[in-house]
Amino acid sequence: MVSMLERFNLHEKAGLRDNLAAVLMALLALPLWLKAGGVYGAAALALACLSFIRTHHLVERIRAAERQKCRLDQELIQSQKLASIGVFASGIAHEINNPIAIIGQEAQWIKHVMKGLDPQVCKGLPEMEDSLQEVLNQVNRCREITHKLLDFARKKDPLIQAADLNRLVDDMARLVEREAVSRNIKILRNYQPELPPLFTDPPLMRQVVLNLLNNAMQAVDRDGAVTVATRMSEKGFEVRVSDTGCGIPAEDLNRIFDPFFTTKPQGKGTGLGLSICHGIVTKLGGSIAVESEKGEGATFTIHLPEDNESHVCKSQSADSR
Amino acid sequence: MKDFRVLIVDDEPDFLETIVKRLKKRKIDASGVSSGKEALALLEAQVFDVVVLDVRMPGMDGIETLREMKRMRPVMEVIMLTGHASVESGMQGMQLGAFDYMMKPADIDELLEKIRQAYQRKSLHEDRLKEDKIIG
């Protein structure tokens, strides 16, 4: 990541140098004009100006291309990183799942056996029961984490159906609204009306939107606003969730989609929510990005491609039955 | 679309009765039970395509029931019904594989539309499994 930034800076400097060269050329043409005077001089100056404009234009284009390439490189690195972490994490989750299941079963069995014991005879039984309950609670917690991990890396292909994106987003907004109101958080809606049908996996998309809304509300905590917006952009369907919360520090932005990355206190969040979102959106052929400045809130933007042929076919065959 | 079977699980008898009746009026083969335990017992014996499941029920709650249902019948789709939306339970439900959430009071046409979509998804899923079997 650092090397890419350096490269980017180098190009910025090169651009500046090229611009300076063009200005110099124009300056050099000035004495020529003074010396030659009249038509030739004016022509020389005009040519110099033209070359300046042309160079400037070219430099701008190169810079834009470089910026674009940097962004694409970054996205590629990000998705490769997430994919490899996903494989690794699901491997561990798979291995740990079975022992956890056995611990859980044995603990359940002990609980069952203990029910038949006489507290009069067996002293300390209530304490043992308490401890055992705690073992079971922790087993459940582990199980939840491993399931989330397996979910995150799940290879299952999405099931594509036609959906009304505004409707889908608003259903999730309604789901969080009551809790939002109780914390004095306004849910602001900004939907572009009459969007074409979106071919996607609706439950997976709902999961993503709900996750983003939940994150946004946690970031605001109390007294603020969460804005949900949809529109068609040049990149296809767009969903944006922004909040007026605490924002994300610049150094965390690169890691925000990493599994287990969390800023919440231990035990409060698994740090899997956003990486699951990233995984789902990627699986649906789209992209998810974040913009934020500390103290200024954050905006998550999802882009989903417009429908393609194969999706349409699948859904039609289902309708015709 | 061929006929499909819907199971409604809700502990409020009035609501349950009304919704089953209204779905039947729209030519949907609907049945109703009033607890998670009853629903699971019925699922042992019968096949349903879509379940509409209340989140808050005494005894076994909606999330617990959903978890068990998805374990028993992974392809069957479940729509969660909630009167007092809690974000936490919504997140849990969606992660456990619920098809959708619906707020109470549920508009019957809206519910019907969601049931149809859930059924479509179940059919797509079955088709995929059949294809996989042929290829495998």
Side-chain angles (χ1 to χ4, degrees):
Chain A
M1 220 61 84
V2 176
S3 70
M4 224 148 37
L5 274 177
E6 273 169 5
R7 218 170 69 207
F8 186 66
N9 282 338
L10 272 179
H11 264 269
E12 287 276 280
K13 278 184 197 141
L16 212 65
R17 212 171 50 224
D18 290 346
N19 270 337
L20 266 176
V23 173
L24 254 161
M25 265 158 62
L27 283 176
L28 280 174
L30 207 65
L32 255 175
W33 177 47
L34 291 175
K35 185 84 181 159
V39 183
Y40 289 111
L45 195 63
L47 273 175
C49 284
L50 265 176
S51 79
F52 169 70
I53 292 166
R54 185 76 196 135
T55 323
H56 183 76
H57 184 64
L58 273 175
V59 168
E60 278 305 310
R61 268 173 54 182
I62 291 170
R63 276 157 83 180
E66 189 63 22
R67 262 196 294 265
Q68 164 98 356
K69 193 178 170 299
C70 261
R71 220 197 58 233
L72 288 178
D73 278 353
Q74 224 158 346
E75 274 174 17
L76 187 68
I77 288 177
Q78 176 75 1
S79 66
Q80 281 175 346
K81 181 173 72 177
L82 288 183
S84 56
I85 296 176
V87 171
F88 179 66
S90 74
I92 294 178
H94 205 83
E95 287 300 318
I96 288 181
N97 226 5
N98 284 336
I100 289 174
I102 296 168
I103 295 171
Q105 276 162 21
E106 295 296 324
Q108 285 287 6
W109 177 244
I110 297 175
K111 201 175 166 182
H112 179 75
V113 172
M114 271 162 70
K115 262 189 196 148
L117 295 179
D118 184 355
Q120 240 53 52
V121 180
C122 190
K123 294 270 183 272
L125 195 60
E127 274 136 78
M128 274 155 73
E129 272 169 347
D130 277 357
S131 286
L132 193 61
Q133 192 49 51
E134 195 50 33
V135 170
L136 282 166
N137 290 347
Q138 296 303 322
V139 164
N140 275 338
R141 194 171 139 200
C142 290
R143 194 180 283 152
E144 230 162 78
I145 296 173
T146 53
H147 282 183
K148 273 189 192 164
L149 270 176
L150 289 172
D151 216 42
F152 165 67
R154 194 171 46 183
K155 289 274 179 327
K156 245 191 343 202
D157 293 325
L159 286 161
I160 304 298
Q161 281 180 279
D164 176 346
L165 181 62
N166 285 340
R167 185 61 189 286
L168 188 153
V169 170
D170 201 56
D171 279 347
M172 293 302 107
R174 273 159 59 189
L175 190 57
V176 303
E177 195 147 40
R178 183 175 294 206
E179 196 166 317
V181 168
S182 74
R183 279 154 58 180
N184 199 22
I185 300 172
K186 275 207 179 69
I187 305 274
L188 305 171
R189 295 152 158 97
N190 186 7
Y191 306 139
Q192 181 178 322
E194 293 177 26
L195 291 177
L198 166 68
F199 288 88
T200 191
D201 187 306
L204 287 182
M205 248 333 263
R206 285 188 193 104
Q207 205 182 328
V208 173
V209 174
L210 188 59
N211 227 309
L212 293 183
L213 285 170
N214 182 47
N215 272 352
M217 282 182 30
Q218 280 180 348
V220 173
D221 191 31
R222 299 197 138 267
D223 310 319
V226 171
T227 309
V228 259
T230 61
R231 67 179 184 121
M232 287 307 280
S233 73
E234 66 278 9
K235 286 162 109 179
F237 291 90
E238 185 181 290
V239 181
R240 288 162 78 91
V241 177
S242 10
D243 62 70
T244 57
C246 49
I248 304 158
E251 67 267 25
D252 289 347
L253 280 176
N254 274 333
R255 303 164 60 202
I256 199 94
F257 294 112
D258 289 2
F260 302 116
F261 179 77
T262 179
T263 52
K264 290 170 200 160
Q266 219 191 351
K268 284 284 170 199
T270 52
L272 285 171
L274 280 175
S275 52
I276 290 173
C277 287
H278 187 280
I280 291 174
V281 174
T282 312
K283 221 184 299 183
L284 294 172
S287 64
I288 180 168
V290 58
E291 282 166 86
S292 176
E293 251 161 72
K294 197 159 171 53
E296 296 285 309
T299 300
F300 285 85
T301 309
I302 301 169
H303 283 111
L304 292 167
E306 285 196 64
D307 54 55
N308 65 42
E309 288 296 311
S310 66
H311 292 171
V312 179
C313 287
K314 263 185 205 164
S315 164
Q316 271 172 354
S317 71
D319 274 345
S320 61
R321 268 173 317 165
Chain B
M1 213 174 259
K2 77 173 170 64
D3 289 346
F4 54 94
R5 302 195 68 204
V6 178
L7 177 64
I8 317 285
V9 189
D10 197 306
D11 61 309
E12 287 173 54
D14 291 344
F15 175 83
L16 189 66
E17 232 170 78
T18 323
I19 213 129
V20 169
K21 212 192 289 170
R22 295 175 84 173
L23 286 175
K24 277 186 173 156
K25 217 182 227 171
R26 285 168 164 80
K27 304 266 179 292
I28 286 179
D29 183 355
S31 321
V33 288
S34 59
S35 75
K37 283 239 150 68
E38 277 176 77
L40 294 176
L42 195 59
L43 283 177
E44 293 277 359
Q46 297 182 29
V47 174
F48 288 89
D49 298 292
V50 178
V51 175
V52 178
L53 179 61
D54 190 20
V55 173
R56 185 146 81 175
M57 291 183 294
M60 195 178 198
D61 73 6
I63 294 294
E64 211 38 58
T65 313
L66 170 69
R67 197 193 306 269
E68 202 49 36
M69 279 180 174
K70 277 286 171 184
R71 206 182 52 78
M72 284 168 72
R73 305 225 186 267
V75 182
M76 184 180 73
E77 292 294 343
V78 182
I79 297 168
M80 306 300 279
L81 210 55
T82 174
H84 60 105
S86 129
V87 179
E88 188 54 39
S89 102
M91 304 255 297
Q92 262 184 316
M94 287 316 293
Q95 211 215 316
L96 285 170
F99 177 75
D100 202 350
Y101 264 76
M102 242 194 119
M103 303 289 289
K104 272 186 184 175
D107 175 67
I108 187 81
D109 290 313
E110 215 176 299
L111 179 63
L112 199 61
E113 182 52 33
K114 286 201 197 297
I115 290 175
R116 289 221 166 93
Q117 284 166 358
Y119 175 67
Q120 186 196 49
R121 180 180 174 85
K122 184 194 176 244
S123 311
L124 283 170
H125 202 163
E126 281 172 339
D127 286 355
R128 158 127 8 117
L129 292 176
K130 266 182 223 150
E131 274 170 38
D132 288 353
K133 244 180 217 159
I134 292 165
I135 294 164

